Amino acid sequence: MPVAGKVALITGGVGGLGKAFATALLQARAAAVCLVDINKRGEETAEELRKKFPTNQTVEFYECDVTDYNLFKGAFDFTEKKFGGIDIVCNNAGINALDHEIDKSIKAFRLNLEAVFLGTRLGQMYMDKSKGRGGGVIVNVASMAAFMPIENCMAYTGSKAGVVALTKVAASEASLEEYGVRVNCLCPSFTDTPILDYVEGTREAINMIPGHHILKPEFVAEGFMQLVEKEDLNGAIMRVTPQKGIDFYKDHKRVPSFSVAPSKL
Ligand SMILES: NC(=O)c1ccc[n+]([C@@H]2O[C@H](COP(=O)([O-])OP(=O)(O)OC[C@H]3O[C@@H](n4cnc5c(N)ncnc54)[C@H](O)[C@@H]3O)[C@@H](O)[C@H]2O)c1
């Protein structure tokens, strides 16, 4: 999909990776990006991006808790109404939690997994080609934690594994339900964003792992752009790691042995 002229909605768009994805889309001449985030400082980020890309491109901030279906749907309504349609959805908002933090762990499951499910369904509905919209692409942000568990972070690890699994189902629905919406999954390794400051000493610990270093958000954004642009990628599970760079989890093209076609909403 050529990104020029397209409209994108990014959850967690004010955070480290979300902002890097927005920047990469604007560099590729996306027409508009809506940053959907619970962080009230989002307007500052939107203004910063508007100044960086001053031509006819637009950046909007929409304050929203994406774990609330109706509020999240409001972000899709806003973006569609303001820009005339949506072509790219990135379900990126996520948090970490330690196992002894029960309330925070519940929030992590709700944000990292439930909200990704909601954003995937909303993306399918708001880009549904069979209902007269233009089709498009969804990128769900999981993590390498989906494959290599992070000790003491059950909610984070479990929710990210769930994102990989639900992406495979949504991808098979692209043709089954004729949505015309590709769905891919991005699994970065540790990346230099504020999430690494959640537990003190994380950065030092990562740098001590042999052969490991913390990735730059711009490098992860290169992988993100491939998942958006390459029309042959649907159900792709992309890894971004310091060891292998950008590659794919080997069973990314696996299709279900049987399919149950749910009736359309
Ligand atoms: N940085 C890493 O090392 C790393 C590695 C693998 C995967 N990831 C994933 O990348 C994604 C982005 O994380 P990041 O590294 O940019 O961290 P970040 O903390 O910089 O960004 C997360 C963003 O999500 C927003 N957010 C939190 N709760 C929300 C809610 N209820 N509704 C809407 N927005 C909400 C935050 O305000 C923040 O802007 C996450 O899903 C994270 O799990 C990060």
Side-chain angles (χ1 to χ4, degrees):
M1 171 201 280
V3 167
K6 297 293 192 296
V7 175
L9 181 157
I10 304 176
T11 73
V14 176
L17 279 171
K19 189 175 158 192
F21 300 157
T23 303
L25 290 168
L26 291 163
Q27 268 160 356
R29 305 205 56 76
V33 177
C34 185
L35 310 173
V36 179
D37 205 298
I38 203 167
N39 185 338
K40 292 186 187 307
R41 296 213 318 271
E43 187 47 43
E44 289 168 33
T45 308
E47 184 55 22
E48 183 190 326
L49 290 173
R50 279 193 290 265
K51 280 191 181 139
K52 200 169 172 187
F53 300 97
T55 53
N56 54 354
Q57 296 166 313
T58 317
V59 183
E60 289 288 335
F61 167 57
Y62 189 91
E63 188 183 334
C64 170
D65 178 350
V66 296
T67 63
D68 182 311
Y69 178 71
N70 289 321
L71 297 181
F72 197 2
K73 190 170 180 300
F76 277 77
D77 284 334
F78 168 83
T79 309
E80 185 179 63
K81 206 174 267 181
K82 180 112 192 154
F83 304 118
I86 302 173
D87 309 289
I88 300 159
V89 171
C90 179
N91 291 304
N92 162 73
I95 53 169
N96 194 7
L98 300 175
D99 290 341
H100 69 272
E101 302 170 316
I102 294 298
D103 288 347
K104 194 81 198 277
S105 293
I106 292 168
K107 275 191 183 160
F109 268 118
R110 294 201 57 212
L111 179 62
N112 299 2
L113 184 54
E114 275 187 45
V116 174
F117 162 71
L118 298 178
T120 303
R121 282 301 299 130
L122 286 164
Q124 288 174 324
M125 289 190 281
Y126 279 75
M127 299 190 286
D128 188 347
K129 223 171 188 170
S130 71
K131 295 241 174 86
R133 279 154 162 130
V137 61
I138 299 170
V139 177
N140 290 333
V141 179
S143 164
M144 281 302 292
F147 311 110
M148 296 192 292
I150 301 181
E151 205 174 301
N152 205 16
C153 300
M154 268 195 272
Y156 190 83
T157 301
S159 58
K160 295 300 185 180
V163 171
V164 171
L166 77 80
T167 298
K168 292 179 190 173
V169 182
S172 69
E173 290 171 359
S175 51
L176 199 67
E177 295 284 319
E178 298 172 340
Y179 294 128
V181 178
R182 295 182 291 118
V183 192
N184 293 315
C185 187
L186 180 64
C187 301
S189 176
F190 298 110
T191 309
D192 189 7
T193 75
I195 207 172
L196 294 187
D197 301 322
Y198 187 67
V199 179
E200 210 186 319
T202 297
R203 289 168 193 272
E204 293 75 9
I206 295 164
N207 285 325
M208 282 171 65
I209 304 170
H212 223 81
H213 64 261
I214 296 172
L215 298 172
K216 289 194 184 315
E218 296 75 24
F219 181 59
V220 179
E222 283 180 33
F224 166 76
M225 289 300 282
Q226 288 186 29
L227 294 176
V228 169
E229 289 175 325
K230 292 190 176 173
E231 292 285 355
D232 59 330
L233 293 180
N234 180 41
I237 311 298
M238 176 185 276
R239 300 179 294 199
V240 186
T241 61
Q243 294 88 358
K244 293 189 175 172
I246 295 170
D247 74 345
F248 293 92
Y249 181 62
K250 65 179 179 312
D251 80 343
H252 78 276
K253 285 199 186 300
R254 198 168 61 92
V255 290
S257 53
F258 70 94
S259 304
V260 180
S263 59
K264 287 215 182 138
L265 289 177

